[in-house]
Amino acid sequence: MYMSKSYDICMRDDGILVFTITRPDKRNAVNFEVMAGLNEAIQLANETKVKAFVITGEGEEAFCSGGDLGEFHQLKTEEQAYQMLIKMGELLYQLAMLSKPTVALINGIAIGGGCEIAAACDIRIARKGIKAGFVQGKLAITTGWGGGTILLERVQHSAAMKMLLEAKIYSFQQLIDLGFVQYIYEGDRWEGLRNNLDFIFSLEDTVLTAYKMMFVRKMRLLDLKERIESEIRQCALLWEKDAHHKQVDKFLNKKMTDQ
């Protein structure tokens, strides 16, 4: 087990490696420490003893609320933003291309970058009643970790464009209808994981890897890495614009007023 104040990495007896964001007071927002932990977990997931890699959030309120605006809002210029975005973009690329099945165990709301993380996973299992949305457009930027590019490979093109352009939070049923969520659970998340993914536990890891590599080979042919890089560059360009900083200031001020 690997732990910090921001994340936890745990290898379960059933061969599932779990990465948990442990910042419930920040709605499990991503900071640089979470990035470092995710990198560590992805490297561990490459080990042959791992059957699947699961990402989740601590508590019942949030899976991940995206990037920590309090921390990342200090990044003002295009280049400053790019350095952060490319770091996380590389992690999501590695996550998408991992040779093991990857699962987003969505225990609560997923917003912005939280949806990008979920999209990078092969399978999304969600607690009944959760909400999620790619809301980046409301902050005058695009997806910037590669999640928009990956989303176009996960769901139908029309559904992906709808989610990105509307930039709103969807209900649980809407997420199912859009094809973003494949499995649901109620009650204990680990029981929900096992009940929904019993097929993973029943198959040999060599079979799981062979099927996952079919997707990996396809994504290599479709230049996924280069497309993610273009997405990140576009987001960094918009990041330094006044429109983005004004929207973030507005959001942070509203948050302080609501407290």
Side-chain angles (χ1 to χ4, degrees):
M1 179 178 292
Y2 302 77
M3 299 180 64
S4 81
K5 64 180 181 180
S6 296
Y7 67 88
D8 172 72
I9 304 172
C10 179
M11 183 67 190
R12 291 164 53 94
D13 293 339
D14 52 18
I16 305 298
L17 182 69
V18 181
F19 177 77
T20 306
I21 304 174
T22 57
R23 307 184 74 213
D25 57 319
K26 299 290 185 180
R27 302 179 84 189
N28 293 322
V30 172
N31 61 6
F32 287 111
E33 189 172 19
V34 171
M35 288 186 189
L38 182 56
N39 179 61
E40 184 179 1
I42 289 172
Q43 304 316 310
L44 286 172
N46 280 310
E47 296 182 8
T48 56
K49 65 180 179 180
V50 175
K51 295 196 75 173
F53 179 48
V54 174
I55 298 178
T56 192
E58 184 178 339
E60 298 299 322
E61 181 182 351
F63 167 73
C64 175
S65 59
D68 189 331
L69 292 180
E71 186 168 326
F72 295 155
H73 192 38
Q74 308 305 313
L75 309 174
K76 299 296 184 182
T77 69
E78 177 183 348
E79 186 57 32
Q80 288 172 339
Y82 177 79
Q83 293 305 317
M84 178 274 291
L85 297 171
I86 194 66
K87 186 186 294 280
M88 192 64 182
E90 176 60 29
L91 291 174
L92 291 200
Y93 175 75
Q94 291 182 36
L95 180 61
M97 303 292 273
L98 194 69
S99 62
K100 313 294 174 63
T102 55
V103 181
L105 185 53
I106 307 174
N107 55 295
I109 194 166
I111 301 175
C115 279
E116 294 195 54
I117 293 172
C121 294
D122 301 311
I123 300 167
R124 281 159 296 286
I125 302 175
R127 178 170 55 81
K128 187 175 182 179
I130 64 97
K131 296 180 179 182
F134 291 83
V135 298
Q136 290 91 330
K138 296 288 177 64
L139 294 176
I141 56 173
T142 61
T143 50
W145 291 344
T149 298
I150 298 171
L151 180 66
L152 287 165
E153 303 300 333
R154 299 300 194 194
V155 301
Q156 290 186 354
H157 178 85
S158 58
M161 293 304 293
K162 177 182 176 68
M163 295 184 76
L164 296 173
L165 293 174
E166 290 187 345
K168 71 177 187 179
I169 297 175
Y170 294 98
S171 70
F172 177 73
Q173 187 58 52
Q174 288 173 316
L175 294 167
I176 296 174
D177 294 342
L178 287 164
F180 189 70
V181 169
Q182 293 86 42
Y183 301 94
I184 62 173
Y185 75 90
E186 295 183 74
D188 181 75
R189 75 179 76 180
W190 306 115
E191 286 186 12
L193 177 72
R194 175 163 283 280
N195 291 339
N196 282 294
L197 297 188
D198 57 344
F199 58 90
I200 281 184
F201 299 106
S202 65
L203 294 176
E204 293 293 329
D205 56 1
T206 52
V207 174
L208 296 171
T209 296
Y211 277 131
K212 179 59 187 289
M213 290 307 295
M214 290 182 182
F215 173 82
V216 170
R217 286 191 289 271
K218 175 189 175 185
M219 288 303 100
R220 286 175 180 158
L221 290 173
L222 294 177
D223 298 325
L224 182 65
K225 192 174 184 67
E226 290 76 10
R227 290 159 56 204
I228 286 176
E229 165 72 13
S230 295
E231 175 183 329
I232 292 170
R233 281 292 182 190
Q234 180 61 59
C235 183
L237 183 66
L238 295 175
W239 187 287
E240 75 170 4
K241 303 295 185 183
D242 289 341
H244 170 59
H245 295 299
K246 286 179 180 178
Q247 288 301 320
V248 174
D249 286 336
K250 181 179 178 181
F251 174 82
L252 293 175
N253 290 334
K254 181 180 184 301
K255 189 175 180 181
M256 291 181 65
T257 302
D258 292 343
Q259 290 178 347

